[in-house]
Amino acid sequence: MLVKNKKHYTCKHCGSFAGEDEVIIENNFHFCCHGCLTVFNCLNVGGLDNFYHLMDLEGQSPQKVTSENKVKYMADDQFLHNFGQGQNKNTFNFYVQGITCLACSWVFKNITALNEKIQNSNFQPESNILTLTMTDRSELVNVGTIIYQLGYQLVPLKNESEAENIYQKDKRNELIRIGVTAGLMMNLMIYSVAIYAGVDGSLKRIFEHIMAVMYAPILFYSAIPFLKNFMSSLKSLRFNIDLPISLSVLFGSIFSYYNYFKGSDLYYFDSIAMFIFLILSTRHFLSSLYHNQIKSNFFQNAYGIQQILKQSSKIFVYKHISDIAQGDIIKVPQGEIIPLDGVVLKGHSYVNESLLTGESTPLLKHRDSKVVSGSINLSHDLELQVSHDMNTTSFTKYLDSLKIDTSQLDSYSYFGQKYSLYLSFIFIVASAVLFLYFPQEQAIPRILSLLIVCCPCALGIGIPLVSLLKTKKLANNGILLKNKAVYEKFPNIETIFFDKTGTLTSGAFKLAEIVGDQTFLPHLISLEKHSHHPIAVFLVNHFTSVQDYLEVENFKEILGEGVEGDIQGHHYKIHSLSDESIVLMKGSQQVLKLILKEEIDPNNIQLLKDLSKKYRIEIMSGDHRQRVSDLIDLLQVNHPIKSQHSLKPEDKKNYMRKQKNSLYVGDGLNDIWAMKYADLSISLNAGELVNDNCDVVFLAGNLNKLNFFIKEIRHLHRLIQINISFSIFYNILGFILSVTGMITPLIAAVAMPISSLIVVSNSFLLSRKGRIKK
Amino acid sequence: MMALIITIPLSILFAVVFIGLFIWSVKSGQLDQIESQKNMIFNRKINRKKGTNHVKNNK
């Protein structure tokens, strides 16, 4: 009892009152006894002092976990600041959990439609990373809520390496689920077979008890991912591919346990266990395959660079490319690709940098010269000091500019998604009809078979898989598909438009004819020797027989006109004519004329001849008429080739706007507009800007692989049609057999994943078959 | 019938052991990177000590 007029204090820990004479004061807090003070100190030291804050919230219950609460952290300013990237801190990376099927990525393709504040989104199915750029960061929480309602969970990432760890964790959980299901399923089968074989009486009941117990972990652990997705999608009324799977698992399990307790024979523990196991393992196999196929470092893939000679204690030892850091000294043997950017420390060699710069002439590299990754060391061994590691090297940056937007959805994939949804709906309605029409013992196995067999995985898997396999095959051959809809549009192509210079012709020259007095050749070469113009360089290299150069005085190079100088007291001048011939003037008199022609690769001539049999060919050139007509004469194809000359980029654009079913092949900045207006466009690796605006990039920078590309793209289109046809046939057949009761749930459980595996094997086999002979 | 008294619990025991071992192997990371095992040689340093090969991870 409190004594009046005596000051009292409340204990910080237990809340008891303490009198003035008995209170203990520490850190401005009051305690009634040393026990409370000790507990307070323990909690404080252990970082558990939040306990006292919670004490003030007496009677408050934990907040109910709703989808909004799950992602509420996204509204927190601290989170937005810490995880936001870019200048405006409005770009966020998330690892998406719950991607169970290859087809899930289409959801993220359309995510921009869900909230107008999403400025840009990109989903990388190989790593499950979603990148969102918001115009208004405060809307992120609403986007997160919608995604959560769709059945996916977002884990915010500060950097992409975190995603790999989460992916590994997810994969481990998947594997454990598969292992647990496999172990239990095999044991279930033992008892199931015994019951099928006719075991009866008390032994049968014991077996049933064992089966019911063994099935429980499968339902409550292994099948949880399907059921979670199903519940989330049910709440948001957005159905996904797990709908029929979850329904069949739930329906089959409830009826099986119901009948087991009732003592009836109508249970399907074995069928559903096998169904879950096959679905889990097929999904794991396919997602690993997909991950490995795309994730495999393209840098290593393209050139097979895994090991590098690194200097270690004065000797060179082989190291993995990822172990090489900035400042390390490496050796690049003659004939090999330079793996990383660096500076030459020792040796000299000719290096071909055509892949990155387009410059096909080998360049001499010596001590202190810079070399770039992706170029080829042609003549001698080089020792380099690495200036950029694997992640920052020029070639990696270059590949980033060629990054394929894998989230794009072509109309076939879109059809696949819609088909899956409608199919599930039809089969669920059919199940309801069966339930009402047939007696229970006939309806249940039919409904279960129907729900199992209707799973549209074959279609969901088939289209993205063949597309992926072909994309990879083309990439390995130096062809990058930047637009996934290429195979879909290609069969409609009627006309192929070629840019001339750099595409059909190399831009190099050849000497066609010499007109005039050839005794003036030494005069011409002696003058040209002082010039760096490509034609001058060509002529000096061409007339190597001219060794006795004459002395040139008062040499002058007039840009855009030619060169002039005095030789043996006479004034000589070289200038070019409009038809690309050059003339040597002695005073005002023309003494020699050299007629030059552009060189065309004989392979390109054959290519155009082949293509002209199937397509209309048109050549669009900015060059003057003579050069273009020379080229047409050279081609000598039976089919007429239309050509246009002296075209400016605007002319090409205006012309291409009017064309239908067109493919444009170009190599320069002047082709960008034409590429944009063509139905499809191919860039011969003409730099970042051109590559960004085209549908396909030929990395080698020439047309050698055009025939291969056409063949592969047509083959891909055919493969997709085969997979669609097979899936539709399988679903119709499954529907008929299930409804008529001709297949049991067990057979349906086996048939469903087998159909997916048939599509996968078919895709692999046919993709290999399409390989051309080298 | 008597045989079943032994074989049924035995089969269940085997199942539990199999599942237990599998979970252990997955959790200890043995099945994480099956494909890349062939490249591991480049990440390892071999120290020869008194006739035995002692393999030490670089990292």
Side-chain angles (χ1 to χ4, degrees), chain A residues 172 175 187 191 307 319 323, chain B residues 15 22 27 32 42-43 58:
Chain A
R172 283 185 185 183
L175 268 179
N187 277 270
Y191 304 104
Q307 53 176 342
K319 292 296 227 178
D323 284 342
Chain B
F22 184 76
K27 284 199 168 171
D32 278 356
F42 298 123
N43 292 326
N58 248 356

Side-chain angles (χ1 to χ4, degrees), chain A residues 353-359 398 401-402 478 480 482 499 501-503 652 664-673 675 681-703:
Chain A
E353 295 184 346
S354 60
L355 183 73
L356 289 160
T357 61
E359 171 61 60
Y398 172 72
S401 78
L402 299 172
L480 296 189
K482 298 209 70 181
D499 169 51
T501 311
T503 305
K652 288 186 179 181
Y664 189 92
V665 187
D667 80 315
L669 284 170
N670 60 338
D671 298 313
I672 286 185
W673 279 347
M675 285 178 168
S681 55
I682 295 174
S683 157
L684 299 186
N685 202 7
E688 200 174 320
L689 197 59
V690 185
N691 291 350
D692 274 349
N693 283 283
C694 69
D695 299 307
V696 186
V697 180
F698 282 22
L699 284 177
N702 58 47
L703 291 170

